Amino acid sequence: MDVSSLFRSRARVAGAAVCAAALAAAVTSCSATEKLTTGLQVKRSVEKLGDKPAATVLVQADASQQEAHDFLRAARGGSAGGSLQEQARLLSTGELTFAVGSEEEKTALADLSKSERLNVAAALNFGGKDTVAAKSVAEQLYVRVNLRSVAHHFESAQLDAGRADRLVALADRLPATLGSAKDALRGKWVRVDPDAFDAFVAAAQQMREAAQAPAPSEGARAGQEREKSPAPGPRQEFARATALGSALAGQSEREFLDGLQKTLAEHATFAKAGEHDGAEHVTASMPGRETARDLSRALTALGIRLDPSTVPDERITAELEIRRGQLTGMTLDAGQFLPPQRDAEPPSLPLEFDFGGGDAIPTLAPDGARTLQPQDLLAAVVYGALGTGRL
């Protein structure tokens, strides 16, 4: 064989190998650069939420009632529970909105230190007026409960529309000395002491029992039936109100935003997912347990309780939406947080998060809010019972 031909052949092979290696290095470098650039873009898009004095997050499930039911049942290890259908309905229709804002109206969130307290506000609704709302402003807690909405949406409240109307109408008959109770019954903002939540639950329970009392025209039979069926303990509707208020008092919404920002900045990897509907889309891969720990603070009011210790030690994915350099949306499947199912894939429950700069719920203290004491509610019950024989 001609030695020169062999040399030229080997040279071509070597040259091709060098070119292939160079091409592979270029592709790898390009991919790494793109990932780095995308990661910086996401980091800046999250930080941009802090460029204004307030930020808002809206959370809801994009699921049918059946899909929500399947998810909740799997999350409870297959245990259905008597109120699971109602909770599934609430989860599939509920919308949680919360906002954080600086106490100085013109100070950007990013300019505040971690030690500085934020004003926070949250509201839970089901497509209409807010059912429950709460605010924590300058270390004062304010709540607002719409009794008619509670009666309409919460079957577990055992409070029909007629009795809710009577409770609201009771406000017109209360004396001026019970002004705070009048406001509370009318669904206005009142200031409460978070340390008195247990007493508020007990007072609300007595109000509910009084509202359940049968009218004289309903006859003795109704009274006998109620004697056989004692009223249950404090129900879900007030538990949600107090849970929401307790969460705000503990600044959990700030912790949620801080935790989400930390997870995206320190633990997530990113890949571009194209542009559509006027927004850039990025797929984020995050550690499941850390993400569950952050999200659990925001999802409790929707009826989703995530226990990070039971979440598979795997990564989950989410799709981020970025508009004009700011993070405006995130969609993830909560089914990724469930442990493996015995005979099937974990049920899906898409969750949508909408982020915005500004206060969809004002984080300022409500004007004219009076201080409500648990005994004010009890006095209202007594006054209503003495005046009419029923509520």
Side-chain angles (χ1 to χ4, degrees):
M1 184 177 186
D2 185 3
V3 175
S4 62
S5 297
L6 179 61
F7 179 79
R8 285 195 297 273
S9 176
R10 289 182 175 177
R12 284 196 296 272
V13 172
V18 170
C19 288
L23 180 61
V27 170
T28 302
S29 176
C30 181
S31 176
T33 301
E34 179 180 310
K35 289 181 178 179
L36 178 61
T37 302
T38 303
L40 289 174
Q41 178 189 22
V42 172
K43 184 175 184 294
R44 289 170 183 156
S45 74
V46 177
E47 292 175 345
K48 198 169 182 179
L49 286 172
D51 289 346
K52 297 182 180 180
T56 300
V57 184
L58 185 152
V59 189
Q60 59 185 343
D62 182 17
S64 67
Q65 182 175 336
Q66 184 59 52
E67 289 170 331
H69 179 275
D70 293 343
F71 172 85
L72 291 173
R73 190 171 188 273
R76 296 183 179 186
S79 174
S83 62
L84 199 59
Q85 285 291 353
E86 179 189 8
Q87 292 177 27
R89 177 176 54 79
L90 297 175
L91 175 57
S92 63
T93 58
E95 180 180 278
L96 172 67
T97 306
F98 65 83
V100 294
S102 60
E103 293 190 349
E104 298 294 331
E105 293 184 46
K106 296 183 179 180
T107 303
L109 294 173
D111 294 335
L112 300 175
S113 68
K114 296 294 184 182
S115 61
E116 291 183 85
R117 188 177 180 89
L118 289 176
N119 295 339
V120 292
L124 183 65
N125 74 75
F126 302 94
K129 293 182 178 180
D130 292 339
T131 302
V132 177
K135 294 184 180 187
S136 177
V137 181
E139 301 187 9
Q140 297 292 324
L141 185 62
Y142 305 85
V143 298
R144 182 176 65 187
V145 179
N146 185 329
L147 289 174
R148 289 190 174 101
S149 183
V150 166
H152 179 71
H153 293 290
F154 290 92
E155 295 174 0
S156 61
Q158 298 183 3
L159 183 69
D160 61 32
R163 291 187 173 109
D165 287 340
R166 287 194 290 275
L167 281 172
V168 175
L170 172 63
D172 295 332
R173 304 197 302 273
L174 294 179
T177 53
L178 292 176
S180 61
K182 291 164 71 79
D183 290 347
L185 292 174
R186 288 170 173 165
K188 294 183 178 182
W189 287 105
V190 291
R191 186 167 64 244
V192 301
D193 180 1
D195 293 333
F197 274 143
D198 289 343
F200 275 113
V201 170
Q205 173 70 359
Q206 291 192 38
M207 290 190 71
R208 187 182 62 77
E209 291 174 354
Q212 284 183 277
S217 60
E218 290 176 335
R221 180 178 177 183
Q224 291 171 358
E225 289 177 352
R226 291 191 179 276
E227 288 178 6
K228 294 178 182 178
S229 302
R235 302 302 294 180
Q236 186 175 343
E237 76 284 353
F238 204 82
R240 284 175 185 262
T242 55
L244 196 60
S246 298
L248 290 177
Q251 297 286 293
S252 65
E253 274 61 32
R254 179 175 187 166
E255 294 170 4
F256 162 70
L257 287 176
D258 289 345
L260 179 62
Q261 182 173 352
K262 182 178 179 180
T263 297
L264 290 174
E266 299 181 8
H267 303 295
T269 57
F270 308 96
K272 287 185 176 295
E275 296 184 20
H276 53 86
D277 297 330
E280 298 179 74
H281 290 257
V282 174
T283 299
S285 173
M286 303 174 286
R289 289 182 178 175
E290 283 80 357
T291 306
R293 189 174 297 114
D294 296 332
L295 296 184
S296 62
R297 301 184 179 103
L299 300 180
T300 300
L302 286 175
I304 301 177
R305 291 173 175 79
L306 297 178
D307 181 358
S309 66
T310 65
V311 173
D313 190 16
E314 299 174 359
R315 297 183 74 82
I316 66 165
T317 60
E319 184 171 289
L320 309 180
E321 178 186 90
I322 300 173
R323 296 177 186 270
R324 297 180 180 178
Q326 178 179 301
L327 178 67
T328 55
M330 179 176 73
T331 302
L332 63 83
D333 181 4
Q336 298 175 96
F337 296 123
L338 298 181
Q341 306 297 295
R342 181 174 301 177
D343 301 319
E345 289 292 320
S348 173
L349 184 76
L351 295 176
E352 296 180 348
F353 297 78
D354 293 327
F355 301 90
D359 48 358
I361 309 175
T363 56
L364 301 177
D367 293 332
R370 295 188 256 201
T371 300
L372 178 69
Q373 301 293 343
Q375 56 265 33
D376 295 339
L377 291 177
L378 294 176
V381 172
V382 173
Y383 189 91
L386 289 176
T388 65
R390 60 167 300 194
L391 287 181

